[in-house]
Amino acid sequence: MRNLVIEGGHLLEGTITVGGAKNGAVALIPAALLSDEIVTIDNIPNISDIDALVEILEYLGAKVQFEGNKIRIDSRNIQNKEIPESISTKLRASYYFMAALLGKFKKVVMYFPGGCNIGKRPIDQTLKAFSELGATIIEEDNKYTIFAEEIVGNNIYLDMPSVGATINALLTAVKAKGRTIIENAAKEPEIVNVATFLNNMGAKITGAGTSRIIIDGVTNLKGSYIEVIPDRIEAGTYILAGVLMGNNLKIANVIPRHIEALTMKLKQMGASIKINKDSIIVSKTNQLKPVSIKTLGYPGFPTDLQQPMTVVLCMASGQSKIEETIYENRFQNVVYLNKMGASIKIEKNVLKINGPTPLLGQDVESTDLRAGACMILAGLVAKGKTRITKIEHILRGYENIVEKLQAVGAKIEIKE
Ligand code: EPU
């Protein structure tokens, strides 16, 4: 079994370049099969979630070619086959294939998707969208058979601005007959990325990035090109590493507007952070003030940065609070931070963090992707050695994280 071993206390200097957004790329790849021609997606991150999606594409009969971070997808000859449970449960984003196949073939058979174990993750809003668009859904033992004689545009009102349901509704509605309006849509930049890709194919989508998306169905979709936007969560994670251990650490290939919720909080804490046009420079800050944070959909504070942020709040003088409003069980990192010397209490969905508390290296676990990022940050700032197990979770979502951190001076390595 592979572990990550970190010797803490080393300053981070130089530049870390952020890769393409995981949560953009994992939707763009399934979206590609809607095209009747060949498409190219650039800036694909090198993470294992992408491998799982490519496995599904190839299983369906698509031709997939990689050239560095560029992927060329020819799905002209794909077949609408049932995707085995063993593949679809590897990751959450497999359910984008549900929507894309339903949109293209008007029928799909697939299992409930996988994803990090961070609490219940229902897909009722996605299923509601499918049914509003005219589909019949039969569920048996986690297996969904979804079909329609015709996909017909409709008004879809989402009960909550779900990222997954918004993208799924988009993917299914793009070739529907007539107009679809998604109300209370999620506004994440990754959704705009997907809509741009589809529009480049000839789709007619307006309003992506706002809470009202309008889609006028088209019959054909041509070849197209898109670049995955920079990963705002990866950027945020390295910015936090910089607040803990940076010495003018530069995070390059960033869209600062996409992570304003984080940078505004860090400024409020008194962190040393300089924002340029497409990069951010951060240095270790010793006197941090406590803050209160509530996770929300974009443009609010992202839940995906909540666990990494907790480490920085351990360094602030006084009590900070985090209210997690998106997931019911995204605090599994806390027990390990406390083991390292933190003083954090969980009260229902609120964390109360008393700082500053120095951290000491320990054996800890990466219980899920962002918990793993949290443990890496804790290891970088802790005294002594931290050993992290279950690192597959981290490698699912962070491109070359070990190499990127080593290159700026971290003492981190993978041990077999
Ligand atoms: N929800 C429902 N019903 C639904 C959909 C959502 O009740 O039909 C509730 C659930 O509580 C769910 C929460 O809303 O847990 C958030 O769901 P959402 O659909 O917004 O999230 P997602 O599409 O499942 C994506 C990212 C997550 C990220 C969230 C929120 C992907 C593949 N995943 O998940 O990323 O946390 O949006 O921004 O894009 C991660 O990268 O670590 C990660 C978990």
Side-chain angles (χ1 to χ4, degrees):
M1 232 192 3
R2 292 186 302 171
N3 298 323
L4 258 181
V5 179
I6 306 170
E7 183 187 283
H10 297 277
L11 284 180
L12 307 177
E13 296 175 320
T15 302
I16 297 182
T17 304
V18 171
K22 168 179 90 80
N23 290 343
V26 297
L28 290 166
I29 290 177
L33 68 73
L34 281 164
S35 174
D36 305 307
E37 297 173 14
I38 296 169
V39 301
T40 304
I41 309 172
D42 206 349
N43 203 27
I44 293 271
N46 179 14
I47 51 176
S48 61
D49 265 9
I50 296 295
D51 304 337
L53 293 173
V54 168
E55 190 184 341
I56 298 178
L57 269 183
E58 289 180 332
Y59 167 82
L60 295 171
K63 290 201 189 100
V64 183
Q65 267 180 336
F66 268 98
E67 196 190 305
N69 286 79
K70 205 187 276 183
I71 182 173
R72 192 170 167 273
I73 301 169
D74 177 354
S75 34
R76 284 176 298 182
N77 293 317
I78 62 163
Q79 285 170 10
N80 190 15
K81 290 196 281 184
E82 176 180 326
I83 299 172
E85 193 170 14
S86 57
I87 319 185
S88 52
T89 50
K90 277 191 185 169
L91 76 170
R92 184 75 179 165
S94 62
Y95 76 160
Y96 293 139
F97 279 104
M98 254 186 198
L101 288 170
L102 180 64
K104 186 160 182 138
F105 295 107
K106 303 188 179 67
K107 179 172 181 193
V108 63
V109 183
M110 229 187 107
Y111 289 83
F112 195 85
C116 280
N117 176 17
I118 48 183
K120 276 202 287 300
R121 299 179 74 179
I123 62 167
D124 54 296
Q125 299 303 302
T126 284
L127 298 177
K128 182 170 87 172
F130 291 160
S131 114
E132 301 280 20
L133 293 169
T136 301
I137 301 161
I138 298 170
E139 196 239 309
E140 232 176 326
D141 296 332
N142 270 347
K143 180 174 168 177
Y144 293 83
T145 303
I146 307 167
F147 54 93
E149 213 155 275
E150 196 164 39
I151 306 286
V152 186
N154 200 352
N155 282 14
I156 300 168
Y157 182 87
L158 298 179
D159 293 348
M160 81 273 301
S162 151
V163 173
T166 302
I167 293 179
N168 279 328
L170 250 182
L171 295 178
T172 305
V174 111
K175 294 186 91 176
K177 190 173 166 202
R179 173 170 280 199
T180 298
I181 301 178
I182 311 172
E183 296 280 9
N184 199 25
K187 296 183 281 206
E188 270 67 1
E190 292 76 16
I191 293 165
V192 182
N193 209 190
V194 174
T196 307
F197 184 41
L198 294 169
N199 281 341
N200 290 349
M201 292 182 199
K204 295 207 167 89
I205 303 165
T206 54
T210 75
S211 53
R212 187 167 201 257
I213 303 180
I214 301 174
I215 306 139
D216 285 311
V218 295
T219 47
N220 296 308
L221 291 170
K222 56 186 171 54
S224 87
Y225 172 88
I226 191 81
E227 249 178 66
V228 184
I229 55 169
D231 195 314
R232 61 199 165 92
I233 307 301
E234 186 193 9
T237 304
Y238 292 129
I239 289 168
L240 292 168
V243 175
L244 294 166
M245 289 312 296
N247 180 21
N248 285 319
L249 179 70
K250 181 173 174 182
I251 321 298
N253 193 30
V254 176
I255 300 177
R257 194 170 34 89
H258 288 175
I259 40 166
E260 234 171 15
L262 173 70
T263 52
M264 295 298 274
K265 276 291 168 198
L266 291 174
K267 282 187 175 168
Q268 204 183 322
M269 293 179 76
S272 161
I273 171 163
K274 182 167 179 281
I275 301 173
N276 301 322
K277 196 166 146 276
D278 57 7
S279 68
I280 292 184
I281 296 171
V282 210
S283 289
K284 178 178 167 75
T285 318
N286 289 321
Q287 292 292 322
L288 290 169
K289 294 186 209 99
V291 283
S292 290
I293 290 172
K294 185 173 181 173
T295 63
L296 289 169
Y298 188 84
F301 192 94
T303 168
D304 297 342
L305 283 174
Q306 176 265 108
Q307 291 161 302
M309 183 72 180
T310 310
V311 185
V312 169
L313 297 182
C314 289
M315 302 301 141
S317 306
Q319 189 177 76
S320 296
K321 285 186 196 157
I322 298 183
E323 185 181 348
E324 170 59 62
T325 73
I326 311 288
Y327 295 111
E328 56 183 15
N329 188 19
R330 217 175 198 184
F331 289 153
Q332 294 174 79
N333 52 321
V334 167
V335 60
Y336 297 106
L337 284 176
N338 282 344
K339 185 179 176 191
M340 294 175 78
S343 170
I344 308 173
K345 280 207 184 88
I346 306 176
E347 287 175 12
K348 291 190 182 146
N349 67 329
V350 177
L351 288 188
K352 290 189 176 159
I353 304 142
N354 288 303
T357 49
L359 299 180
L360 266 182
Q362 289 284 352
D363 285 353
V364 297
E365 195 177 299
S366 164
T367 52
D368 53 84
L369 169 60
R370 308 300 171 187
C374 162
M375 294 333 306
I376 290 183
L377 296 185
L380 291 173
V381 71
K383 196 163 170 229
K385 274 198 177 155
T386 298
R387 194 167 63 97
I388 308 175
T389 54
K390 298 206 177 155
I391 63 170
E392 320 75 56
H393 289 299
I394 304 173
L395 305 178
R396 274 187 47 204
Y398 283 92
E399 173 182 72
N400 303 334
I401 188 164
V402 174
E403 295 80 358
K404 286 186 185 186
L405 285 170
Q406 280 171 343
V408 294
K411 298 280 176 272
I412 175 169
E413 57 181 338
I414 294 186
K415 291 228 164 117
E416 297 297 328

